[in-house]
Amino acid sequence: MLKITKFGGSSVASAEQFRKVKSIIAADDARRFVVVSAAGKRFSGDNKVTDLLYLVNAHREYNVDCTALLDDIEQRFVDIKEDLGLTWPVAQKFADFRAGLASDSPEYIVSRGEWFTAHLMAEYLGLPFVDAADAIVFHHDGSLDLERTADRVHELVVRVGHFVMPGFYGATTDGEIKLLDRGGGDITGSILANALSADLYENWTDVSGFLSADPRIVDRPRTIESITFDEMRELSYMGANVLHEEAIFPVREANIPIAILNTNAPEEGGTIIRERVEATPDDPVITGIAGRKDFLSVYIAKTHMSDAVGFMRQVLSIFERYHVSIEHVPTGIDSFSVVVNGKDVKDSIYSIVADIQREVKPDTVKVIDTLALVSVVGRSMSSRPGSSGKLLGVLGNEGINVRMITQSSQEINIIIGVNNEDFERTVQAVYDAFIE
């Protein structure tokens, strides 16, 4: 059994959290490769080291003194070192880092949060440190070179055995540091799991798996014990951000399950994400609910539109011209709506509408703003007759006006559009009816 174990920023934020990590690693011999993020928030109102490093780079670019910021960052690592009785020379390494700030690239500067954290964790766990720059390979265009990365990882395993590696960054073949997206430590762990054909990819964070609804809306929502990759993608896209969605692809390609676990409560289990989950009669109809506010819908109607070849394509090309990503396109015989994220069109919506009116001459163009989308996700919905009817009945009983409804081609989710002010009531009503 081989597990790749990744710890997020909250899991490595302090010496106390380091101790929890060591206990988790010691509890299972299968946890032989560890990926860590930069030290995160220790308490509410604290700063993540990565955010501080972005700020350092901004100060540098505008020629503003950042000595106090650097002192704060260094002290974070010094505190961890001294509390745990480590010997790695933090002060000397940080002095070297300060000395090179003027010439270092922004991506190099930001990556040092993971680099310092991983060095301390490697000593504390008694494992070799492997620099992500020596393992995660980027093409010069910024895309990942997964084939060369796998070769590098295998070479490192032969040379050093088990190791601790920082997440979030890698390097081109000529050594230039490149960052992954924010939250990219999840992706690093996933890439490592793929390269080593791991049996399980464990992602340790500060929550006990995926929750079936937003705890800011629903009081103590249930944890989802098992979920498919497709269901998780749907929930993540609509705001259930426990795992970076790009972290799915390397492990899914190799059919490696992901476990989402809580560093602060490892005994609570968590959520297992798999390619397929066998449905049972006891499964809830709905796996989870997620959503976001502030979408916008552009309604377009034209008599005999269904006979006008290319009409919809012309409209969609106008949105493409303004570099606007389209979320949904509910259709009728002589009308359809284009649903987009409000922030994507806040500076261009009037120009888009004007272009639609001029170029395709519809009978009606109407903009509906302050629209919230709620995604109701469940692999069991397609096999349970009446799911959609029950859903609409629940919302009708609550007096919630449904502005839009659409179902995915996979039949694992239903998207409901409601007014912004009805968003929280919609999530609560669906949760109460289907999950609780």
Side-chain angles (χ1 to χ4, degrees):
M1 186 72 174
L2 173 61
K3 299 178 181 179
I4 304 303
T5 313
K6 186 265 173 179
F7 292 93
S10 63
S11 300
V12 294
S14 65
E16 178 186 0
Q17 294 301 96
F18 269 52
R19 292 187 180 96
K20 293 176 184 177
V21 169
K22 188 170 188 176
S23 177
I24 289 166
I25 297 300
D28 191 340
D29 289 340
R31 295 173 179 140
R32 301 194 290 272
F33 297 93
V34 179
V35 176
V36 297
S37 295
K41 292 184 178 182
R42 296 160 293 184
F43 47 81
S44 178
D46 194 18
N47 293 302
K48 299 177 181 179
V49 164
T50 298
D51 290 339
L52 295 176
L53 287 167
Y54 273 113
L55 199 52
V56 165
N57 183 61
H59 278 56
R60 182 192 67 154
E61 289 183 352
Y62 289 98
N63 297 311
V64 177
D65 181 66
C66 58
T67 302
L69 270 174
L70 291 166
D71 289 344
D72 286 346
I73 297 168
E74 180 178 4
Q75 194 59 49
R76 289 284 299 272
F77 295 122
V78 168
D79 288 346
I80 292 171
K81 172 191 172 179
E82 292 180 348
D83 198 335
L84 299 176
L86 304 177
T87 62
W88 190 69
V90 170
Q92 177 189 325
K93 298 295 183 181
F94 210 86
D96 295 341
F97 171 56
R98 288 180 194 251
L101 273 178
S103 58
D104 288 332
S105 71
E107 292 187 283
Y108 178 89
I109 291 169
V110 173
S111 72
R112 295 307 89 181
E114 277 76 11
W115 190 82
F116 277 95
T117 304
H119 267 291
L120 292 169
M121 183 63 75
E123 181 184 350
Y124 188 54
L125 296 179
L127 293 173
F129 168 86
V130 163
D131 195 341
D134 297 327
I136 308 299
V137 184
F138 284 84
H139 295 291
H140 286 281
D141 65 1
S143 62
L144 280 164
D145 186 339
L146 293 175
E147 184 176 346
R148 190 169 293 183
T149 294
D151 291 340
R152 290 271 190 93
V153 168
H154 285 285
E155 291 169 5
L156 288 164
V157 170
V158 170
R159 193 189 325 152
V160 303
H162 312 155
F163 55 75
V164 173
M165 187 170 75
F168 188 37
Y169 71 92
T172 61
T173 52
D174 60 5
E176 181 185 357
I177 296 294
K178 292 289 184 182
L179 299 180
L180 295 157
D181 294 338
R182 283 302 297 264
D186 293 346
I187 305 173
T188 305
S190 182
I191 293 168
L192 193 60
N194 178 296
L196 294 175
S197 301
D199 298 291
L200 181 67
Y201 171 35
E202 293 185 335
N203 195 288
W204 292 83
T205 179
D206 55 0
V207 294
S208 298
F210 266 89
L211 298 177
S212 50
D214 190 335
R216 294 169 296 185
I217 300 172
V218 174
D219 184 36
R220 290 187 294 179
R222 292 184 183 180
T223 297
I224 303 169
E225 293 183 3
S226 295
I227 188 171
T228 66
F229 284 115
D230 287 333
E231 289 174 309
M232 199 220 71
R233 278 275 291 159
E234 296 286 349
L235 290 172
S236 294
Y237 183 75
M238 290 300 290
N241 295 319
V242 175
L243 179 74
H244 196 299
E245 61 182 61
E246 292 298 320
I248 298 171
F249 300 108
V251 289
R252 185 175 190 177
E253 181 183 83
N255 198 26
I256 300 168
I258 305 174
I260 308 296
L261 301 160
N262 190 342
T263 304
N264 303 312
E267 72 284 352
E268 289 185 1
T271 299
I272 293 287
I273 311 164
R274 303 178 185 276
E275 182 63 36
R276 293 182 181 83
V277 176
E278 294 299 324
T280 71
D282 296 330
D283 286 344
V285 178
I286 288 173
T287 303
I289 309 157
R292 289 181 281 154
K293 293 182 179 180
D294 298 324
F295 288 89
L296 180 149
S297 174
V298 181
Y299 170 79
I300 299 124
K302 186 176 176 67
T303 304
H304 302 305
M305 185 189 77
S306 58
D307 298 327
V309 177
F311 183 87
M312 185 182 292
R313 178 193 57 76
Q314 286 180 277
V315 172
L316 296 181
S317 69
I318 293 170
F319 285 89
E320 182 181 5
R321 186 189 309 154
Y322 286 89
H323 306 288
V324 176
S325 176
I326 294 168
E327 303 283 341
H328 299 281
V329 187
T331 62
I333 296 174
D334 289 330
S335 65
F336 65 96
S337 295
V338 180
V339 180
V340 298
N341 199 319
K343 65 179 175 56
D344 291 345
V345 294
K346 63 184 177 66
D347 298 321
S348 59
I349 186 59
Y350 296 111
S351 299
I352 290 171
V353 169
D355 286 0
I356 291 172
Q357 290 173 324
R358 183 179 65 256
E359 294 179 29
V360 300
K361 297 178 174 53
D363 298 333
T364 305
V365 179
K366 184 168 60 176
V367 176
I368 302 168
D369 57 6
T370 63
L371 185 71
L373 297 186
V374 177
S375 181
V376 181
V377 178
R379 58 188 174 272
S380 299
M381 285 195 296
S382 61
S383 61
R384 305 280 181 92
S387 297
S388 298
K390 180 181 177 182
L391 180 61
L392 292 174
V394 166
L395 299 181
N397 290 339
E398 291 293 325
I400 296 169
N401 184 27
V402 176
R403 309 295 302 272
M404 181 196 90
I405 184 166
T406 183
Q407 187 171 24
S408 73
S409 57
Q410 293 176 299
E411 298 185 350
I412 65 167
N413 80 316
I414 297 172
I415 303 286
I416 306 162
V418 298
N419 294 323
N420 265 356
E421 59 266 27
D422 291 329
F423 173 68
E424 288 81 5
R425 283 203 303 138
T426 301
V427 173
Q428 184 70 63
V430 174
Y431 181 88
D432 290 344
F434 286 89
I435 297 177
E436 186 59 34

